[in-house]
Each structure stands twice: as C-alpha cells, then as structure tokens.
Amino acid sequence: MSKRLPDVISPGRIRNRLLAAVPPADFTSLASDLETVALDQDAVLSRTGDRLEHILFPDSGAVSLMVNMASGQTVATAAVGREGAVGMLSVLGPSPSAITAIVRVTGTASRIPASRFHAAFNRSPAIRQVVQLHVRAMLAQFQLGVACNALHPVQARIARWLLQFRNRTDHDVLPLTQEALSQILGVRRTTVTLLMRSLRASGAIRSERRGQIEVDPMRLAAAACECHGTMSSELEEILSIGVPGSRVPVAT
C-alpha cells in the first residue's frame, strides 16, 4: 500500500467538530492555511516513523490509527472521523509518528501544515484547549481499546469496529474488505470470514459483497461489547464541553 498526499480539491463547508470549536478570532489565524483535500479509500496518510508535515481535520469519512509490529502484524488503536484530527498530537513535541494512519472510508479533510498549526497553538489558549479536548478523546479510545482487546471476544470487537465506522459516516453500507478488517483486528483473514458469517446469520450484517458491507446498526449494537456505548458516550461528553466563544455550536 503506497503512501501519497491527498489531492487538493475545492474548499467546502467545514464540518469538523474540533475546527468548529475554535473561536472566530482564533480561527482566522488558521483559515488562510487550511485547504480541503480528498481522503481516498485505503490511502496511507502517515506511516510509523514519519515526520508529520500536515495535520488533517476530517470533514467526512473515517481513518484508522494502526500499530505495526516487527512481526508484520497490525492492530487498530483508534478511529478518527469528523470529531477529531490526524497528526495533532505532534504539537506535544517533535517526534516521529508512532502510528500508521489509513483511510478506511473515503471523505474529505481540512489540511494545514503542521508548522503553521504549531505556531497558532503556541499563540492561542483557545486552540490549546481544542487540542486538549482531542487528547482527552484519543486517550479515552486508547485506554478502553486496550481493555477491550484484552478482555472481549473478537466477534464483539469486530461489531464494535463496524459500528465505529458506521457512526462516523452515517451510512449503513461500509466500503470495507475482509483484509482491512483483519488488519484492524489483528487476526487472520480466515477468522474474519468466520466472524462475518456469524454476523450475517444473526442479521447484524444484511449483505456483504466484495468491498461493501451493509450493516444493521441495531443488531450490530446487540452483538458488540459494552465498549461501544461507553466509548461513544465518553467521546460525546468530552466534545460537548467545547470552547467558550466557539465559532459554531459543536454538533454531530
């Protein structure tokens, strides 16, 4: 899977919740450096060890943050959609990326050079508060994800991941392959095949064609572990705090 920068496309209405939480005066300092880019399916936005050149704020679509082991195995640690950002943790200090970020559902994002965002972060208490919201949200995902991977069966975990992508895209048809799910879960492709068969039998998956999985959200939620509900409520609680004087109300 090759890495390339996203294509720049015509600017559109910003829907990212973090950018929406930036007060008008502070947003002005970012606006001239923001450009809208396409997030193409399966595009690798950054690899482990990369120096991050840009920070991306998804307006739509979904990205998975992956850990790569020396053995070649992978596992996803978090999902990012319009509630978050990719690369923002670089403001905490210069260091190579610890994760690989892969687009799982196509969409668009607002992109800014990391150096420009870091300068705004140093100047603006409001932007620092937005970063703090993001850090808290990511930590909540990381911490609960570690517990989930250790304690819950893989069928409950695959249901949770499908729901996470579904909720970030607001669409019941997800452009995910079994190979992508095996990377996300850190299991063999044959294991994913068995899991999908079981979810289809329960009605949690309505249909599955090559690269297209249609889900039933209610039945999928019944198959998922409690981590999905806990993670969703914690994320919403953190993001609903917002920033005083934000540009627009933070909304899903």
Side-chain angles (χ1 to χ4, degrees), residues 8-153:
V8 179
I9 59 177
S10 300
R13 181 172 64 92
I14 290 175
R15 298 175 59 214
N16 182 272
R17 296 183 70 179
L18 291 179
L19 287 180
V22 178
D26 300 271
F27 183 79
T28 299
S29 68
L30 301 175
S32 61
D33 294 308
L34 288 169
E35 58 185 0
T36 303
V37 298
L39 299 180
D40 296 328
Q41 188 75 27
D42 298 325
V44 181
L45 303 179
S46 66
R47 291 191 184 278
T48 302
D50 282 355
R51 182 176 179 272
L52 295 173
E53 301 289 341
H54 294 88
I55 296 171
L56 291 98
F57 299 86
D59 298 311
S60 59
V63 177
S64 67
L65 306 184
M66 310 292 299
V67 171
N68 306 311
M69 306 302 288
S71 64
Q73 290 180 292
T74 64
V75 69
T77 59
V80 178
R82 63 179 179 268
E83 83 295 335
V86 176
M88 188 186 275
L89 297 184
S90 63
V91 301
L92 302 180
S95 62
S97 174
I99 54 90
T100 295
I102 302 176
V103 177
R104 298 300 183 183
V105 181
T106 187
T108 62
S110 297
R111 184 178 71 181
I112 186 171
S115 59
R116 301 296 294 171
F117 187 81
H118 295 176
F121 171 84
N122 290 329
R123 291 192 306 266
S124 167
I127 290 177
R128 290 197 291 274
Q129 189 169 349
V130 166
V131 171
Q132 184 182 48
L133 290 176
H134 176 68
V135 170
R136 289 181 59 195
M138 294 306 296
L139 282 176
Q141 279 203 72
F142 293 155
Q143 291 170 341
L144 197 57
V146 168
C148 183
N149 286 343
L151 299 175
H152 292 148

Side-chain angles (χ1 to χ4, degrees), residues 128-193:
R128 290 197 291 274
Q129 189 169 349
V130 166
V131 171
Q132 184 182 48
L133 290 176
H134 176 68
V135 170
R136 289 181 59 195
M138 294 306 296
L139 282 176
Q141 279 203 72
F142 293 155
Q143 291 170 341
L144 197 57
V146 168
C148 183
N149 286 343
L151 299 175
H152 292 148
V154 67
Q155 179 152 326
R157 292 195 289 119
I158 193 173
R160 172 174 69 83
W161 275 106
L162 289 171
L163 279 171
Q164 284 188 263
F165 290 128
R166 189 270 167 200
N167 290 348
R168 281 167 172 79
T169 59
D170 294 328
H171 204 289
D172 291 347
V173 179
L174 302 174
L176 295 170
T177 63
Q178 290 195 8
E179 179 62 29
L181 288 170
S182 72
Q183 295 170 7
I184 289 166
L185 291 165
V187 299
R188 294 177 183 273
R189 168 75 179 274
T190 52
T191 301
V192 173
T193 299

Side-chain angles (χ1 to χ4, degrees), residues 173-237:
V173 179
L174 302 174
L176 295 170
T177 63
Q178 290 195 8
E179 179 62 29
L181 288 170
S182 72
Q183 295 170 7
I184 289 166
L185 291 165
V187 299
R188 294 177 183 273
R189 168 75 179 274
T190 52
T191 301
V192 173
T193 299
L194 294 173
L195 294 170
M196 298 296 284
R197 187 179 302 163
S198 177
L199 289 173
R200 284 198 305 273
S202 70
I205 290 177
R206 295 182 183 129
S207 66
E208 181 191 5
R209 299 178 297 278
R210 185 172 179 82
Q212 297 283 324
I213 300 171
E214 184 180 3
V215 302
D216 182 312
M218 291 186 65
R219 291 184 177 180
L220 201 59
C225 55
E226 71 266 21
C227 295
H228 169 66
T230 302
M231 198 176 288
S232 297
S233 61
E234 286 190 10
L235 187 63
E236 188 60 37
E237 182 179 355

